[in-house]
Amino acid sequence: MASNSVDTRDAILQGSLEVFSHRGYAGATIGAIAKRAGVNNLTVFRHFQTKENLFRETVLHYADIDLDAKELDANVDGKTVLEGLVIISGVFFELMFKNIHIFRIFIIEATHFDFVKRMSWRMPPQLLAYLRDYFADLIPESDDRERRLVLLSEMLLAHVTRLALQFNKHDSIW
């Protein structure tokens, strides 16, 4: 059990992240979230008043994910194309895997909540822009170069996302 109000709030947010991720908004209950957080139902309501407030606070708290492009550039610099792609894919995978619960919420709830849809589209453009820039030096000038850059970037990001979701689908807490 959490020792103070800040710890309790953090425990509730972490518990709600995991429960919303696995059950979706409609399937999540305050009871399941409270149990996961190690608190009682009233404590959850005291901190967040409603399930909707808790959901909104959870998404806002965990959705701020940024790609460290400078660090990634430093790791890729001087590598072959294949080595660079392995490094980039690994960094993307780890980023998604570390944040798998919020990515699941994005996927499950973006069609139900406009604010989730808006939050979910902060990260993919960063990743796609990085990939597009990486591939730009590899694809020669042509009439369809931009389309090819976008397609290649989206394909790699989609593949890594699928792998991160698939790899994590059997996590041990459920």
Side-chain angles (χ1 to χ4, degrees):
M1 172 134 359
S3 61
N4 66 43
S5 185
V6 172
D7 291 342
T8 300
R9 182 178 172 78
D10 288 346
I12 295 168
L13 286 170
Q14 181 63 42
S16 68
L17 176 71
E18 294 168 7
V19 173
F20 286 131
S21 167
H22 285 276
R23 298 185 182 178
Y25 179 82
T29 64
I30 294 297
I33 291 167
K35 182 176 179 181
R36 188 79 192 132
V39 299
N40 64 46
N41 293 9
L42 289 175
T43 302
V44 175
F45 283 115
R46 195 173 25 238
H47 281 270
F48 297 96
Q49 291 75 48
T50 67
K51 178 178 161 183
E52 187 173 347
N53 286 347
L54 175 57
F55 180 69
R56 181 176 298 282
E57 288 296 317
T58 300
V59 171
L60 294 174
H61 184 79
Y62 289 100
D64 193 18
I65 304 165
D66 285 315
L67 173 68
D68 187 347
K70 287 181 181 179
E71 182 179 339
L72 190 52
D73 283 341
N75 290 331
V76 172
D77 191 36
K79 304 289 192 248
T80 67
V81 172
L82 181 57
E83 291 169 335
L85 286 174
V86 168
I87 291 168
I88 292 167
S89 297
V91 167
F92 287 179
F93 180 87
E94 287 300 318
L95 184 68
M96 286 181 224
F97 192 75
K98 267 182 22 188
N99 297 286
I100 199 71
H101 293 298
I102 195 66
F103 280 110
R104 279 186 184 154
I105 291 171
F106 289 162
I107 292 166
I108 295 167
E109 301 299 346
T111 58
H112 301 107
F113 296 91
D114 284 339
F115 83 97
V116 174
K117 184 189 305 181
R118 284 190 305 275
M119 296 300 291
S120 70
W121 280 104
R122 289 186 63 239
M123 187 55 166
Q126 288 179 20
L127 298 173
L128 289 171
Y130 187 89
L131 284 170
R132 190 218 164 277
D133 291 345
Y134 182 78
F135 291 135
D137 294 335
L138 306 175
I139 297 179
E141 290 295 329
S142 67
D143 291 341
D144 67 344
R145 180 175 187 260
E146 190 58 35
R147 183 183 63 80
R148 291 169 64 201
L149 286 169
V150 169
L151 182 61
L152 189 56
S153 300
E154 288 177 353
M155 287 171 41
L156 182 59
L157 182 58
H159 182 68
V160 172
T161 301
R162 182 188 63 79
L163 289 174
L165 290 168
Q166 182 179 10
F167 187 80
N168 191 264
K169 73 180 178 182
H170 300 294
D171 57 22
S172 62
I173 65 167
W174 304 97

